[in-house]
Each structure stands twice: as C-alpha cells, then as structure tokens.
Amino acid sequence: MPEKAHYGLLKGKKGIVFGPLDESSIGWQIALHAYREGAEIAISNVATALRFGNIEELALLCGNAPVIVCDASRNEDVDNCFKELKEKMGAVDFIVHSIGMSQNIRKQLPYEELNYEWFMRTLDVSGLSLHRIVSYALKNDAINAGGSIVALSYIASQRNYWTYSDMGDAKSLLESIARSYGPRLAKRAIRINTVSQSPTYTKAGSGIPGFEKMYEYSDLMSPLGNASAEECAEYTMTLLSDLSRKVTMQNLFHDGGYSSMGATIPMIKLAHEVLNDRELAARVGLDDVSPST
C-alpha cells in the first residue's frame, strides 16, 4: 500500500479488529490504518483463518499486534477473547466487526431453496456475532467509556440483491443490533455504527455469484465510483476517532453515492441499447423484455 498522510487520529487509543484475513479484506486495511493513525491493535479471527490467511503478516505490520483466536459464534470463545485481550492490552477504545460468511452462497443455493442449518449459521456468524461481541466486551469491562464500535454492512440489508441471498438477511440483523444497542451503550458514551460499503473485491465478496457484474453495475451507478477497501478503512478512522463522538446508531453509506442514485446516463444508455437490439438482448438473456410503449 503506498504511503499516505496520517493524522494521529487514534494516537493513544487501543482497539481490536475481528475478521481480517488477507490484504484484500476490509478488516486488514482497517487494522493497518488504525495502527498507522497511532493506535495499539489486537487482531482476532477463527483458527482456520490463521492457517489459510496472512494474519501473522498483518500482526507484524501492526507492531507485533497480539493475535487472539476466536470463533465469534461461540459464547465461550468470545468471553475468553476479551479476557485475553484485557490481560495483554487492557480495556480498548474501539472494536471493529468485519465478519461474514454464507455456506448457502458458497454452494450457490437459490434463496427459495436455502439449507436452513446453513441459514442459521449465516445469521449467527454474520449478524448475531456483533451482539455477542458487544455483550462480552461489556461483561468483561473490556471497552472504555467514550469508545466506538463499527461493523461492516452492505446495501442488500435494505434492498434486494438477488445473489446476495441470506447474507442480506444477516446484514439486516447486524444493522438492527447496532440500533438496539445504541441507547444502551450511550450510557457510557460508547457509540455504535455500521458502514455500508460498496461491492469490494475481497475473498468473501468475490465468492458471490455474478459478483463481477454487481461490481461493474455499482461502479457505473455511483457518481464517485466504487469505494475500495483502503478507502473504507480511511473513512472508518473518522468513526473510531473522537471526531465522531456524537455519531451513533447510524448506517453510514460509503459507496460513492450509489445509495442515493436512481439512474445514471451510462446505465440508461446501456439499457436502451440492449432493449432495442434484439440480438444483443437475446445474448444476455433479456429477449423476453421490451421497452414499454
């Protein structure tokens, strides 16, 4: 990653980032940026991620950050994670939730034929884990007053994206948990927000069927284009810093303006060309669609 200006936004702060896997992951970029903004960092993921990811490399890049093995879908693991965190670092000032998975998407099962055991696993790992992490952080007095909690979301929590399947339901749950916890955390001036990021080429994102088309469509629809993982990390620094001390319970779109657009000229032109070219429409599977007259 090329050197960029850093501002000391997190100088003197401590935090833990759940879920970074490799250089492509948003959690990785957030951990790295937080460290470069002056924070002391801990990193957490499941045991398999330590074998198949590059987490040890990230730990070195973040000043020999402690790596805590934790399955965020298991109560005992999360409880022990915060106990270990307190032993190694003391209470932290911020927590980042960058966790998500869907076996249904991996196996490309259509939404109307979901495996319900896998569905429950999606909800648990990708949504309920935020509740579990916040709850055990509080029980272990592992987050300081005035702290910040950020979880990563996607616009499919609020709108239908066909191939995002049960992950859309999980992200809806994630955002709801953030809202429900907001007033409870506010008693200690702790804020909690979700960031709704553009489609991003991560290992998890790239596994979604038709992801390339989703990415290209979003890029054409976004006035500023898609936001990268690194840009998401830069934005997240403001939410972890004291600059956002009065921002809580928000789902904040970081998507180049995509969420506010109805249509763009490039998309209108493309749709017009396709729908008025029978051969092209047939080639892309839209031969049964024609413009309304």
Side-chain angles (χ1 to χ4, degrees), residues 7 9-10 13 30 33-34 37 148 150 191 193 195 231-247 252 254:
Y7 308 95
L9 292 177
L10 304 181
K13 293 189 181 295
I30 289 174
H33 276 72
E37 288 293 343
S148 177
V150 173
R191 56 210 188 273
N193 296 287
V195 173
E231 289 167 331
C232 183
E234 291 172 338
Y235 178 58
T236 303
M237 294 305 101
T238 66
L239 298 174
L240 301 181
S241 78
D242 292 337
L243 297 177
S244 59
R245 63 174 66 87
K246 294 296 184 181
V247 180
L252 300 157
H254 185 255

Side-chain angles (χ1 to χ4, degrees), residues 30-70:
I30 289 174
L32 195 55
H33 276 72
Y35 175 70
R36 291 179 174 178
E37 288 293 343
E40 184 182 348
I41 292 293
I43 300 161
S44 180
N45 212 323
V46 294
T48 53
L50 270 65
R51 294 199 300 272
F52 298 110
N54 300 331
I55 296 173
E56 294 297 337
E57 178 187 342
L58 177 61
L60 288 173
L61 291 172
C62 293
N64 292 314
V67 176
I68 302 175
V69 178
C70 173

Side-chain angles (χ1 to χ4, degrees), residues 55-101:
I55 296 173
E56 294 297 337
E57 178 187 342
L58 177 61
L60 288 173
L61 291 172
C62 293
N64 292 314
V67 176
I68 302 175
V69 178
C70 173
D71 180 344
S73 68
R74 295 171 56 88
N75 294 353
E76 185 178 2
D77 272 27
V78 180
D79 190 25
N80 289 335
C81 172
F82 282 110
K83 284 181 168 60
E84 183 177 344
L85 180 67
K86 283 199 74 176
E87 287 175 6
K88 292 181 174 178
M89 290 178 55
V92 296
D93 303 292
F94 60 85
I95 296 171
V96 176
H97 179 286
S98 180
I99 303 171
M101 62 81 67

Side-chain angles (χ1 to χ4, degrees), residues 37-234:
E37 288 293 343
E40 184 182 348
I41 292 293
I43 300 161
S44 180
N45 212 323
V46 294
T48 53
L50 270 65
R51 294 199 300 272
F52 298 110
N54 300 331
I55 296 173
E56 294 297 337
E57 178 187 342
L58 177 61
L60 288 173
L61 291 172
C62 293
N64 292 314
V67 176
I68 302 175
V69 178
C70 173
D71 180 344
S73 68
R74 295 171 56 88
N75 294 353
E76 185 178 2
D77 272 27
V78 180
D79 190 25
N80 289 335
C81 172
F82 282 110
K83 284 181 168 60
E84 183 177 344
L85 180 67
K86 283 199 74 176
E87 287 175 6
K88 292 181 174 178
M89 290 178 55
V92 296
D93 303 292
F94 60 85
I95 296 171
V96 176
H97 179 286
S98 180
I99 303 171
M101 62 81 67
S102 168
Q103 290 167 280
N104 282 303
I105 288 178
R106 282 185 200 163
K107 301 294 185 181
Q108 298 191 22
L109 295 186
Y111 187 77
E112 51 278 39
E113 296 178 21
L114 294 181
N115 177 308
Y116 290 117
E117 288 184 13
W118 294 351
F119 192 1
M120 294 302 293
R121 179 73 174 156
T122 299
L123 295 176
D124 197 6
V125 172
S126 309
L128 283 174
S129 60
L130 175 62
H131 191 286
R132 195 175 283 111
I133 284 170
V134 176
S135 294
Y136 280 103
L138 294 173
K139 287 174 183 175
N140 285 286
D141 198 24
I143 182 167
N144 293 318
S148 177
I149 299 167
V150 173
L152 298 176
S153 191
Y154 181 55
I155 196 172
S157 64
Q158 301 173 23
R159 302 181 192 176
N160 181 269
Y161 285 78
W162 196 271
T163 57
Y164 205 63
S165 192
D166 57 348
M167 276 297 294
D169 300 314
K171 293 299 187 182
S172 297
L173 176 58
L174 183 86
E175 292 175 15
S176 180
I177 289 168
R179 287 189 296 271
S180 295
Y181 243 127
R184 294 166 170 86
L185 292 168
K187 295 173 183 177
R188 295 184 55 199
I190 298 169
R191 56 210 188 273
I192 182 168
N193 296 287
T194 54
V195 173
S196 189
Q197 165 72 355
S198 300
T200 310
Y201 272 102
T202 64
K203 279 219 169 121
S206 300
I208 298 168
F211 178 81
E212 295 87 355
K213 295 181 179 66
M214 288 173 61
Y215 184 91
E216 291 170 4
Y217 172 79
S218 176
D219 203 40
L220 284 169
M221 285 289 291
S222 305
L224 294 176
N226 287 333
S228 68
E230 184 181 356
E231 289 167 331
C232 183
E234 291 172 338

